[in-house]
Amino acid sequence: MTTYLIRRILYAIPILIGVNLITFALFFFVNSPDDMARLALGGKRVTEEAVEKWKRDKGYDKPHFFNVREQGHARFTNTIFFTKSASMFVFDFGVSDDGRDIGTEIRTRMWPSLAIALPTFSIGLAFYITFALILAFFRATYVDVSGVVACVVAMSISSLFYIIGGQYLISKLWHLVPISGFDYGVDALKFLVLPVAIGIVSSIGANTRWYRTIFIEEIGKDYVRTARAKGLSEARILFRHVLHNAMIPILTGVVVIIPSLFLGSLIMESFFSIPGLGSYTIEAINNQDYAVVRAMVFLGSVLYIIGLSLTDVGYTLVDPRVRLS
Amino acid sequence: MATPLLEVRDLQTWLMGGDVPVRAVDGVGLTINHGETFALVGESGCGKSMTALSIARLLPENARVRSGTVHLAGSELLGLAEASMREVRGKRIGMIFQEPGTSLNPVLTVGTQIGEVIVRHTELRGAHVRDRCVELLDSVGIPDAERRLDEFPFQLSGGLKQRVMIAAALACGPELLIADEPTTALDVTIQAQVIALLKELQSRRNMSILLITHDLAVVAQIAHKVGIMYAGQIVEQASRRQFFEYPAHPYSRKLFQSLPRGVTGDASLAVIPGNVPSMTRVFAGCRFAERCDFGKSDCNARPAPWVELDYQHKVRCVLYAGTRQVADVHQTLRARQGDSAEPHAGQSGDGESAPVLQVEGLKVHFPIRRGLFKRTVGAVRAVDGVTLEIGAGECLALVGESGCGKTTVGKSILRLVLPTAGRVLLENVELGDLSRTQLRARRKDMQIVFQDPYASLNPRMRVAELLEEGMAALGLGDARWRAQRADELLSQVGLAAEMRSRYPHEFSGGQRQRIAIARALAVDPKLLICDEPTSALDVSVQAQILNLLKSLQRGLRLSYLFITHDFSVVEFLAQRVAVMYLGRIVESGSRDAVLNSPRHPYTRALLSAVPTTEERTQRTVIWLKGELPSPANPPQGCHFHPRCPDAGDQCRQHYPEQTTISGEHVVACHLYR
Amino acid sequence: MPFKPVILWTDALLFLLLAAAVGLWLHMRSRPHLLQPWRNLVQSRQAMGSMVFLAFFMAVGLLDSMHFRLRISPADATQESRYRVQTLSALDVLVGPLRTQTEKTYSAPLATHLFAKETIEAAGDGRTRAYPRLTYGGAHLSDPATEWLPDVLRLIAAGLGLGAILWNALALLVTGVLARHTGREFGQTWRAIWQHREPLPWRTILISAGFIVLLLAPMALLATRYHVLGTDKVGQDVFYLTLKSIRTGLLIATLATLVMLPLATALGIMAGYFGGWVDDAIQYIYTTLNSIPGVLLIAASVLMIQVYMATHPELFDTIEQRQDLRLLFLCLILGVTSWTGLCRLLRGEALKLREQEYVQAAHAFGVSHSRVIRRHILPNVMHIIVIAVVMDFSVLVLAEAVLSYVGVGVDPTMTSFGNMINAARLEMAREPMVWWSLASAFFFMLVMVLSANLFADALRDAFDPRISVASRGKA
């Protein structure tokens, strides 16, 4: 297990370097810092001095990879790549345009994100699997057929409409919960109910259908026939035999996103004014705050890679073939 | 007489879903008494498995029982509520299936899977269940039962998995065991073990068995009664003895005649013309009429009547109507048919000639990588020093169980897998020394025919494209010449030239294998490597392919490397035999020498385990303990010693040198030093 | 020439795609095994029903992709022809007045008055605050209070009548052609269609077409006098905007796939077929790309494109060209972020196919790698590619809306479902609510995505090899 984890970490390094290079290229090669400065300062009639000042303030007044004016290792360290990109490996994200430390911001903002994303994820998963099991139990009856049709219709509706519709009905028409906002502690609950509920409902169609397909595929396998030949009840076959085997493909798609829950959901958080990482990202995009976007991209891939490793750990939990060999 | 244990009457099961229903089971009736084994025999697609599933009501969702009754000890099963049926399954009827690998749940332990039957049907709980499981594993001959209970199916070999299946099926002492091709997926030696186990369990528990199989040899060993099924119906029922002495139905007789065992030299095998009729059809007359050598004009018009030939021996054939003298009919049948196959003209030229293929010290090792940096920590020694030689027009059979490396030998000769060491000389040219282009030119001289005719033809290419691909790749002739050659090839393998523009899915398994052979022949090879070309086919189709291969060998002076696990095929086709065990050849020699006086204990065990259709008289089965060890970690000394009945101290320490018994008969065993 | 054709980048690609589809069909026509799954598909009611709706959307999208600039009528014949700056599409010309008849600001569907009160100079007693009449919507009514309802009902009735006539004509035409084709009597064919005994599900096709005709004909008639779906903040007709949005959604859904298809196919097959270091390298590329959360990668790329386009205004002359360029970039980026899924699928499949005996047999003949890939691997993964393309369609249409909301979608000035929703959302707090833009976008998007999903489902059923394996099955 330890060797395995070490290998995972070693494997992650080239990927993170790749991610870093991609973002670096995207942010500094497609457009030169001069271009960005001009745009940020507005229009074309910007003086050279203003551009230089902007670059200096942001730390963009350096060569990309190699600084000929410096001595020793500073030739490499006093560059845009080192100060802006390589520093992210030690989770030093620098400061945003409004002068705040991005690292601190991330640490405070990830909790509201998690408060929305975690319940949405876990309650949602339970819901989808239950619905899918029900459909699989009634497979090839009208319950199943109408369920699948409902799923297809549900997944054909943009998530934006779920949010708009939910806010309109629950908050505006019925005044059950506040339309948006956030608070810490127990008070958070009344702000969380609606986004979590909408989050779950909006992806019910696609997920239920997907899990149902997995279950139906498992039900067709030989060992299910063996279980029937033993005289086991349909419910026991479904829960004891099918569910356990179906967990293997389900895990593949599910576990990998768990770490990314920290990032929150862009749309949810911005619609409901939740001060999480999702709305942070959206604000950064709208304000064209490149430092924040870069930080989030890097953080996102780190979490994804952690997710990949967790998936493998998850396999060892549900699949004895992986655990024991 | 008491009520029979199982009585099935006029069972009809249809498969829905297509435009027309498939009448998979069309009026089957059978009776099984207490303590009796009934073998339901037939080729693939005849409806035998559907019959078994209908009885246990485990049909796939698109299948329906249309009519009929199934009585188990007097009580009707088909009308039972599903909940009551569950009480029957597992408790009164146990079932085992063909593929032990997929029939066990991969994520549950052996103990759980056996235990849940016990918990479902008995009052036993907790530690008692576990005790019972241990008992059961012991009774099916699984050593170290206590430990095995906590293992998962993937940790067990195929034979052990099937034993676990049997243990689970027998957990609640069922009155009837339905075994659907229980040995088909297993190796010969393991097959013998499982059959013996079933036989022993049956006599100990006085249980009845409904055995579904395609293998007459298995029937010969275990059945009390036999039912032959053809196209959804039973066409003949008899006791084993009656059946093997006087198979009455023309179809039954053909099945026997198409078995390659005992047919050597220039004789060819009897074949059944045509194909199994489509089961979507509604039949007016006898279903076998159009393929029958004795078909009369009214066979197609009226259903064949059941004729009682003897006590418990009845046949559905009009030939026997009016007479009760089986022997009489047999006389006429034999006279009209010339019974055993006609001898072939010409003599296979076994003259001493330069070998087409020489293989020396061939090794194929697959590295095993582990650890942090995926270092190579060992190797799977799939092929570990194989030496063999094939002369022009000669057939060498390479025989061994699955996993012994015989297929890898074939592929590495063709360099589809690169050998780790050793030399392969094709007509005295070392293939390993050739450049890519030179090798490509040599590929014309050696070709391969694979096992699975469904996987070996690209479903997206027409027959003509398939045949011409090789010629085009090797730059033979122009397009017109190739098209003409494709037509020739088709007629050479017994197919019509019009079939050139069809796609593989329009052909039956046997026809596909003919196409695969034609494709290999397209470039006029000198050596054909046949990798189990008949093991996926039914007996009657196998006979057609074997006949074809034999006549090609004679007509074209082809050399074969015939890779197989089936000794009866060896007898028919090969001039020389090499027996392989765990990557090495343990015995080789002329066919008669190896088959008639086998020396290596492994060869002897293999030969004794081959089930035969003859009533067993003197031969005793030599039991092999355990199963094939992993080629990644072969045993010290002689690879075979852990399973060898005659192993001595020396065997545990050194791998034996080759010993020449006589002429080319060579064996690697300490017993003959 | 009275007009000068303008071929935008996306138009060119769309027509290229169309040509490719036609080419593919011609290629398959002589290969019955390739046609077989398609034949199953066209016989499926679900597929053909949803196809009718998709065909409607595609027709609108194609019409909207034929762009041109009208000529300014020259003062004298000798003068060199000059063309208007504004680029129009065939759709714009077809729906003419919808585009030009803009009101001042919001108005509800079929309204005769604006949605906002304004100070109006009244004839008698100076100024009042009231809802002013619309310039175009219901302008022909002298007294809207009494005439409005009868007028609207009359138009709807006329529309339904027209729709019924059109639909009947279509049904008779289909029956007639079919009858001639099969050499049967007309009545016989008619009954065969309605009793669903035809090989093609004509009844379903006609019913779906009926829905469209009966809905569109009244809307078209109403649109000549009113704003059927109301107007937006700057007074543009919402019906017109909705129709224009269709092209945007369609382009994103198809062009993004077009971008990723060659990449995913080539890399996926190569990784699986060659294995070894090729596989390692390709796997590294897609794991790296995959590890960046999709929205963020798109956001980052779009941000950079924005900057690039802002600093390089010389790349485009007109607003349409700017919108078009950004749309193209968005498709590219969506393609780059979405190829990994298909690539992984194809890699797995190629890995399996590589071990297939027919591939081994080809190797035994010394057939070259490129030929093996072309003849043996590619045809046998085609169904996966087709399924992936169609499945992605609806995902991409939905993604456009979300991305536009986040601010990294199509150009903010471009008409798209996402921009429509985004604009309408800002007015959510308004009392009473401005619901019509939202409702129109919702309805049209739902119909489009739902038909695409239903079609994709039917297609998967027709192509999925697992099902065909089962039907081959053993008895």
Side-chain angles (χ1 to χ4, degrees):
Chain A
M1 197 69 203
T2 351
T3 25
Y4 169 76
L5 279 179
I6 294 171
R7 187 159 71 234
R8 258 290 168 207
I9 292 167
L10 289 181
Y11 183 62
I13 290 172
I15 291 179
L16 286 177
I17 291 175
V19 170
N20 216 307
L21 284 175
I22 290 175
T23 39
F24 183 77
L26 210 55
F27 281 91
F28 295 102
F29 280 163
V30 175
N31 303 290
S32 66
D34 289 31
D35 290 339
M36 289 191 281
R38 285 210 187 84
L39 198 80
L41 297 171
K44 279 177 207 158
R45 306 191 192 290
V46 186
T47 57
E48 275 304 307
E49 295 84 69
V51 169
E52 284 306 319
K53 181 176 180 310
W54 187 87
K55 278 163 64 183
R56 209 165 35 251
D57 290 348
K58 302 260 181 239
Y60 292 156
D61 57 343
K62 292 168 190 156
H64 282 150
F65 291 111
F66 189 74
N67 198 336
V68 284
R69 272 174 275 167
E70 294 286 343
Q71 292 299 316
H73 59 81
R75 283 177 171 231
F76 299 99
T77 51
N78 197 16
T79 57
I80 299 185
F81 181 74
F82 193 85
T83 51
K84 297 294 173 193
S85 274
S87 59
M88 287 203 272
F89 278 107
V90 290
F91 297 99
D92 171 13
F93 297 117
V95 291
S96 62
D97 282 354
D98 56 11
R100 288 193 226 176
D101 180 57
I102 299 177
T104 325
E105 201 76 350
I106 288 174
R107 272 188 292 280
T108 51
R109 277 176 174 264
M110 70 185 201
W111 300 113
S113 281
L114 210 57
I116 300 274
L118 197 61
T120 310
F121 169 81
S122 46
I123 302 173
L125 191 66
F127 258 110
Y128 309 144
I129 290 182
T130 314
F131 283 144
L133 273 176
I134 292 172
L135 294 187
F137 185 81
F138 289 105
R139 64 191 170 279
T141 66
Y142 72 96
V143 177
D144 180 35
V145 174
S146 43
V148 172
V149 170
C151 283
V152 175
V153 174
M155 64 191 266
S156 302
I157 297 172
S158 170
S159 52
L160 296 176
F161 289 116
Y162 285 104
I163 303 176
I164 294 171
Q167 280 188 332
Y168 179 74
L169 271 182
I170 310 286
S171 302
K172 212 165 162 191
L173 223 53
W174 299 337
H175 300 288
L176 294 180
V177 287
I179 197 158
S180 65
F182 190 72
D183 205 345
Y184 291 85
V186 190
D187 288 340
L189 207 61
K190 67 171 187 275
F191 292 105
L192 290 182
V193 173
L194 189 58
V196 168
I198 290 175
I200 292 170
V201 170
S202 66
S203 45
I204 211 165
N207 282 316
T208 306
R209 207 169 73 125
W210 181 45
Y211 295 148
R212 175 189 167 275
T213 316
I214 292 176
F215 289 139
I216 297 280
E217 202 162 291
E218 282 299 324
I219 286 173
K221 294 203 172 152
D222 279 355
Y223 69 84
V224 174
R225 188 178 59 184
T226 309
R228 289 216 184 91
K230 290 175 180 171
L232 302 182
S233 67
E234 195 69 9
R236 179 165 170 99
I237 292 173
L238 221 47
F239 282 101
R240 181 83 195 161
H241 288 264
V242 174
L243 186 60
H244 195 152
N245 277 286
M247 281 322 282
I248 297 166
I250 289 178
L251 269 180
T252 322
V254 161
V255 175
V256 73
I257 61 168
I258 291 179
S260 308
L261 294 177
F262 282 103
L263 291 183
S265 151
L266 299 189
I267 321 169
M268 276 307 165
E269 291 183 14
S270 97
F271 260 103
F272 289 96
S273 316
I274 312 277
L277 286 179
S279 52
Y280 188 52
T281 314
I282 276 215
E283 282 161 28
I285 291 170
N286 289 334
N287 302 333
Q288 311 212 333
D289 190 336
Y290 310 113
V292 176
V293 177
R294 255 193 341 258
M296 297 309 290
V297 167
F298 187 77
L299 192 64
S301 15
V302 171
L303 292 173
Y304 176 82
I305 290 165
I306 296 176
L308 282 184
S309 313
L310 277 183
T311 308
D312 289 330
V313 176
Y315 278 141
T316 63
L317 290 182
V318 294
D319 193 340
R321 284 162 293 188
V322 178
R323 177 166 67 232
L324 299 173
S325 61
Chain B
M1 202 179 145
T3 35
L5 176 70
L6 183 77
E7 192 172 16
V8 178
R9 277 203 196 135
D10 191 35
L11 186 70
Q12 281 198 21
T13 303
W14 288 9
L15 294 173
M16 309 306 208
D19 298 336
V20 194
V22 176
R23 298 147 194 265
V25 181
D26 204 7
V28 161
L30 54 87
T31 313
I32 305 178
N33 292 318
H34 293 272
E36 193 175 65
T37 299
F38 186 101
L40 195 55
V41 187
E43 296 183 282
S44 55
C46 73
K48 55 189 192 299
S49 287
M50 278 297 156
T51 307
L53 293 175
S54 305
I55 293 170
R57 288 179 47 191
L58 286 173
L59 289 169
E61 279 168 21
N62 63 338
R64 297 272 173 286
V65 174
R66 298 277 303 178
S67 69
T69 56
V70 175
H71 284 91
L72 184 70
S75 56
E76 230 293 309
L77 293 186
L78 294 183
L80 278 185
E82 182 58 28
S84 328
M85 190 62 206
R86 277 191 213 118
E87 293 292 334
V88 176
R89 284 186 217 124
K91 188 170 190 187
R92 301 183 61 194
I93 300 180
M95 277 192 95
I96 51 181
F97 301 98
Q98 174 170 351
E99 281 289 344
T102 56
S103 297
L104 289 171
N105 189 331
V107 299
L108 298 180
T109 61
V110 168
T112 319
Q113 297 192 55
I114 302 176
E116 67 182 354
V117 199
I118 301 169
V119 174
R120 169 73 182 83
H121 294 292
T122 67
E123 303 291 310
L124 295 182
R125 292 294 177 272
H128 296 295
V129 175
R130 201 178 161 83
D131 293 345
R132 179 88 183 99
C133 289
V134 174
E135 246 171 69
L136 280 163
L137 287 189
D138 278 338
S139 74
V140 296
I142 294 182
D144 208 359
E146 187 73 35
R147 183 172 59 91
R148 291 289 184 189
L149 275 187
D150 298 317
E151 295 200 335
F152 290 91
F154 78 96
Q155 292 166 298
L156 309 177
S157 65
L160 285 183
K161 275 184 220 161
Q162 195 60 299
R163 285 170 193 265
V164 170
M165 276 297 288
I166 295 174
L170 299 185
C172 299
E175 297 143 75
L176 175 69
L177 178 71
I178 300 179
D180 189 353
E181 304 262 11
T183 58
T184 308
L186 305 174
D187 275 316
V188 192
T189 52
I190 313 301
Q191 205 171 335
Q193 294 172 1
V194 170
I195 291 173
L197 171 68
L198 283 176
K199 223 169 156 176
E200 180 226 315
L201 286 169
Q202 180 198 32
S203 59
R204 189 145 42 102
R205 291 164 172 249
N206 193 30
M207 161 181 79
S208 304
I209 298 180
L210 172 59
L211 177 77
I212 312 290
T213 185
H214 69 280
D215 191 345
L216 288 174
V218 173
V219 178
Q221 290 175 60
I222 190 172
H224 298 119
K225 282 203 291 190
V226 182
I228 298 292
M229 221 174 150
Y230 183 79
Q233 277 189 339
I234 293 184
V235 294
E236 179 169 1
Q237 274 196 33
S239 72
R240 175 185 59 190
R241 205 192 161 82
Q242 289 164 335
F243 180 70
F244 282 91
E245 274 173 25
Y246 299 114
H249 198 279
Y251 174 63
S252 315
R253 297 175 59 78
K254 276 287 189 187
L255 283 183
F256 276 102
Q257 286 159 9
S258 48
L259 288 177
R261 189 160 183 82
V263 184
T264 54
D266 293 326
S268 59
L269 301 169
V271 295
I272 308 179
N275 290 313
V276 179
S278 156
M279 301 296 287
T280 49
R281 234 171 73 181
V282 183
F283 295 91
C286 171
R287 289 155 197 234
F288 189 62
E290 44 196 68
R291 304 177 71 192
C292 184
D293 291 345
F294 317 105
K296 295 181 181 173
S297 55
D298 57 345
C299 279
N300 267 321
R302 254 176 296 136
W306 272 115
V307 180
E308 189 125 357
L309 296 172
D310 199 347
Y311 172 65
Q312 286 196 335
H313 190 176
K314 44 185 192 163
V315 63
R316 209 172 212 160
C317 180
V318 75
L319 287 175
Y320 297 90
T323 172
R324 286 180 164 253
Q325 295 302 311
V326 187
D328 289 355
V329 178
H330 273 229
Q331 276 301 322
T332 47
L333 289 186
R334 222 171 264 141
R336 272 207 276 165
Q337 191 184 11
D339 217 34
S340 76
E342 67 276 16
H344 244 282
Q347 182 54 241
S348 58
D350 267 26
E352 287 298 310
S353 55
V356 169
L357 178 80
Q358 287 162 282
V359 176
E360 287 165 21
L362 183 74
K363 290 187 181 181
V364 183
H365 293 183
F366 299 107
I368 308 170
R369 295 173 200 282
R370 277 228 189 85
L372 201 50
F373 297 102
K374 297 271 178 192
R375 269 171 317 180
T376 308
V377 295
V380 176
R381 299 169 184 195
V383 180
D384 201 21
V386 161
T387 301
L388 43 86
E389 196 175 292
I390 304 176
E394 189 185 45
C395 173
L396 171 70
L398 188 60
V399 189
E401 291 178 285
S402 57
C404 74
K406 55 189 193 300
T407 296
T408 316
V409 169
K411 287 190 176 170
S412 59
I413 289 171
L414 284 173
R415 301 189 82 75
L416 295 175
V417 175
L418 289 186
T420 318
R423 292 165 20 106
V424 177
L425 284 83
L426 187 70
E427 297 193 302
N428 292 319
V429 178
E430 156 74 66
L431 294 178
D433 296 340
L434 299 180
S435 72
R436 237 180 108 82
T437 342
Q438 287 171 321
L439 179 66
R440 185 173 292 179
R442 298 300 295 185
R443 288 198 176 282
K444 175 181 169 312
D445 295 330
M446 45 176 191
Q447 276 305 316
I448 184 165
V449 175
F450 291 101
Q451 171 175 7
D452 183 357
Y454 286 91
S456 60
L457 303 180
N458 186 346
R460 314 274 173 189
M461 283 163 84
R462 291 167 201 269
V463 170
E465 291 171 314
L466 286 165
L467 296 181
E468 289 167 29
E469 179 177 41
M471 296 187 255
L474 295 173
L476 304 179
D478 58 1
R480 264 203 36 215
W481 181 83
R482 288 199 289 261
Q484 206 187 339
R485 177 98 179 99
D487 290 353
E488 280 170 30
L489 286 164
L490 282 173
S491 68
Q492 204 168 16
V493 298
L495 295 173
E498 301 93 79
M499 293 174 172
R500 63 192 323 284
S501 54
R502 296 221 205 130
Y503 287 92
H505 68 90
E506 297 171 64
F507 295 92
S508 68
Q511 287 174 316
R512 281 160 169 258
Q513 203 58 298
R514 284 168 190 269
I515 297 170
I517 293 172
R519 174 177 60 184
L521 293 179
V523 293
D524 261 332
K526 302 200 169 73
L527 169 72
L528 198 57
I529 296 176
C530 301
D531 188 359
E532 306 240 17
T534 60
S535 62
L537 305 173
D538 280 317
V539 196
S540 63
V541 184
Q542 166 176 306
Q544 300 173 5
I545 299 295
L546 289 175
N547 282 344
L548 174 66
L549 286 173
K550 200 167 194 172
S551 75
L552 287 173
Q553 181 189 18
R554 195 167 290 118
L556 305 172
R557 247 181 100 71
L558 270 176
S559 305
Y560 291 131
L561 175 62
F562 198 91
I563 298 166
T564 185
H565 67 273
D566 187 351
F567 266 111
S568 56
V569 181
V570 173
E571 204 171 339
F572 176 70
L573 206 60
Q575 277 88 45
R576 289 197 302 125
V577 180
V579 180
M580 211 172 155
Y581 187 78
L582 219 59
R584 297 187 184 176
I585 290 180
V586 296
E587 180 166 7
S588 65
S590 71
R591 172 189 62 202
D592 295 335
V594 175
L595 262 54
N596 297 337
S597 53
R599 294 303 173 93
H600 198 282
Y602 179 60
T603 318
R604 287 196 294 191
L606 273 185
L607 275 168
S608 80
V610 172
T612 54
T613 50
E614 292 100 52
E615 297 269 337
R616 188 149 280 148
T617 45
Q618 287 129 1
R619 269 161 76 181
T620 43
V621 174
I622 303 170
W623 290 105
L624 289 187
K625 295 166 276 181
E627 305 191 8
L628 198 70
S630 154
N633 190 17
Q636 269 285 308
C638 175
H639 290 170
F640 187 59
H641 85 257
R643 300 176 72 192
C644 184
D646 308 320
D649 279 343
Q650 206 179 7
C651 303
R652 279 180 266 278
Q653 282 150 18
H654 312 288
Y655 194 85
E657 294 290 311
Q658 301 262 341
T659 313
T660 306
I661 302 294
S662 65
E664 36 173 26
H665 192 179
V666 176
V667 66
C669 180
H670 287 299
L671 292 176
Y672 304 96
R673 296 297 307 174
Chain C
M1 267 214 303
F3 63 86
K4 175 170 120 182
V6 176
I7 298 180
L8 298 173
W9 274 105
T10 50
D11 298 343
L13 286 174
L14 191 66
F15 291 125
L16 190 75
L17 196 67
L18 209 61
V22 172
L24 198 67
W25 183 71
L26 288 177
H27 169 80
M28 287 190 313
R29 228 168 38 154
S30 56
R31 289 165 178 77
H33 67 291
L34 290 178
L35 276 184
Q36 192 50 51
W38 294 102
R39 202 167 291 135
N40 295 343
L41 186 68
V42 295
Q43 287 176 7
S44 137
R45 278 188 252 181
Q46 184 181 336
M48 294 319 280
S50 47
M51 193 61 219
V52 171
F53 285 94
L54 283 180
F56 163 72
F57 286 110
M58 278 176 205
V60 173
L62 278 178
L63 277 178
D64 204 11
S65 294
M66 296 176 194
H67 287 106
F68 47 78
R69 281 154 72 177
L70 287 175
R71 187 163 67 170
I72 303 168
S73 28
D76 62 282
T78 56
Q79 211 176 338
E80 200 187 333
S81 339
R82 289 175 54 214
Y83 297 92
R84 287 174 200 268
V85 181
Q86 194 181 25
T87 312
L88 289 181
S89 75
L91 182 79
D92 294 333
V93 176
L94 210 68
V95 300
L98 285 186
R99 180 173 63 87
T100 47
Q101 298 180 348
T102 55
E103 306 291 344
K104 215 164 169 185
T105 179
Y106 289 115
S107 72
L110 299 177
T112 50
H113 294 80
L114 270 187
F115 191 60
K117 273 187 181 165
E118 271 183 14
T119 313
I120 307 176
E121 301 286 342
D125 41 22
R127 297 173 173 183
T128 50
R129 281 191 60 81
Y131 298 108
R133 281 291 293 266
L134 294 179
T135 329
Y136 302 100
H140 61 292
L141 304 176
S142 49
D143 179 19
T146 55
E147 294 172 34
W148 179 79
L149 189 62
D151 189 55
V152 166
L153 288 178
R154 193 177 53 79
L155 283 170
I156 289 178
L160 286 176
L162 179 69
I165 292 168
L166 282 175
W167 183 78
N168 270 307
L170 178 76
L172 292 176
L173 186 76
V174 165
T175 317
V177 170
L178 210 61
R180 272 198 62 173
H181 202 72
T182 54
R184 280 175 301 174
E185 277 177 39
F186 187 86
Q188 206 185 351
T189 317
W190 181 264
R191 276 191 302 278
I193 288 178
W194 291 102
Q195 289 162 9
H196 203 83
R197 284 188 281 113
E198 284 294 313
L200 287 192
W202 282 113
R203 186 174 68 174
T204 316
I205 295 174
L206 286 176
I207 290 175
S208 310
F211 265 112
I212 295 178
V213 174
L214 287 179
L215 193 70
L216 279 188
M219 278 180 88
L221 282 192
L222 285 169
T224 55
R225 302 282 167 80
Y226 297 96
H227 297 288
V228 196
L229 300 175
T231 54
D232 73 350
K233 190 168 185 174
V234 290
Q236 274 191 306
D237 189 284
V238 173
F239 187 34
Y240 173 70
L241 293 179
T242 317
L243 289 179
K244 294 291 277 185
S245 299
I246 291 172
R247 174 179 182 264
T248 317
L250 213 58
L251 279 176
I252 287 191
T254 49
L255 293 191
T257 318
L258 189 71
V259 170
M260 67 95 155
L261 214 50
L263 205 66
T265 311
L267 292 182
I269 290 180
M270 272 164 62
Y273 178 77
F274 289 112
W277 68 267
V278 180
D279 188 24
D280 289 342
I282 292 170
Q283 279 207 64
Y284 169 74
I285 294 173
Y286 76 55
T287 314
T288 306
L289 270 180
N290 228 11
S291 75
I292 306 174
V295 188
L296 284 175
L297 185 59
I298 294 168
S301 315
V302 170
L303 276 184
M304 286 306 113
I305 295 304
Q306 264 176 358
V307 176
Y308 184 79
M309 286 173 65
T311 47
H312 295 82
E314 69 280 1
L315 287 176
F316 35 84
D317 315 329
T318 61
I319 297 182
E320 281 80 11
Q321 282 178 347
R322 191 187 75 203
Q323 291 173 346
D324 186 64
L325 212 59
R326 174 146 171 179
L327 181 62
L328 189 65
F329 277 129
L330 186 66
C331 291
L332 274 174
I333 294 160
L334 279 171
V336 169
T337 52
S338 65
W339 65 278
T340 53
L342 180 60
C343 183
R344 188 150 44 184
L345 268 181
L346 290 177
R347 174 181 170 269
E349 198 63 21
L351 211 60
K352 261 186 267 164
L353 288 176
R354 180 175 74 159
E355 299 302 324
Q356 282 282 314
E357 290 179 348
Y358 57 80
V359 175
Q360 302 258 325
H363 286 316
F365 285 115
V367 178
S368 67
H369 287 311
S370 71
R371 209 173 155 76
V372 169
I373 289 180
R374 237 181 22 251
R375 302 267 288 186
H376 293 284
I377 310 280
L378 194 59
N380 284 297
V381 297
M382 217 54 205
H383 62 278
I384 297 182
I385 298 175
V386 171
I387 293 172
V389 167
V390 178
M391 299 286 260
D392 271 0
F393 184 96
S394 52
V395 174
L396 287 164
V397 174
L398 292 177
E400 186 274 328
V402 171
L403 291 180
S404 296
Y405 168 77
V406 176
V408 291
V410 294
D411 195 275
T413 58
M414 187 164 192
T415 321
S416 81
F417 287 125
N419 282 338
M420 274 175 79
I421 298 169
N422 208 4
R425 183 185 62 90
L426 298 174
E427 305 295 330
M428 277 259 296
R430 209 181 173 107
E431 284 292 341
M433 207 169 133
V434 180
W435 51 270
W436 46 89
S437 302
L438 219 49
S440 316
F442 171 78
F443 178 75
F444 275 76
M445 249 178 108
L446 177 64
V447 174
M448 186 157 152
V449 176
L450 187 58
S451 352
N453 273 331
L454 290 174
F455 185 75
D457 259 14
L459 183 118
R460 198 179 43 183
D461 286 349
F463 275 74
D464 199 327
R466 257 174 307 186
I467 293 167
S468 52
V469 164
S471 72
R472 184 182 85 187
K474 41 175 207 166

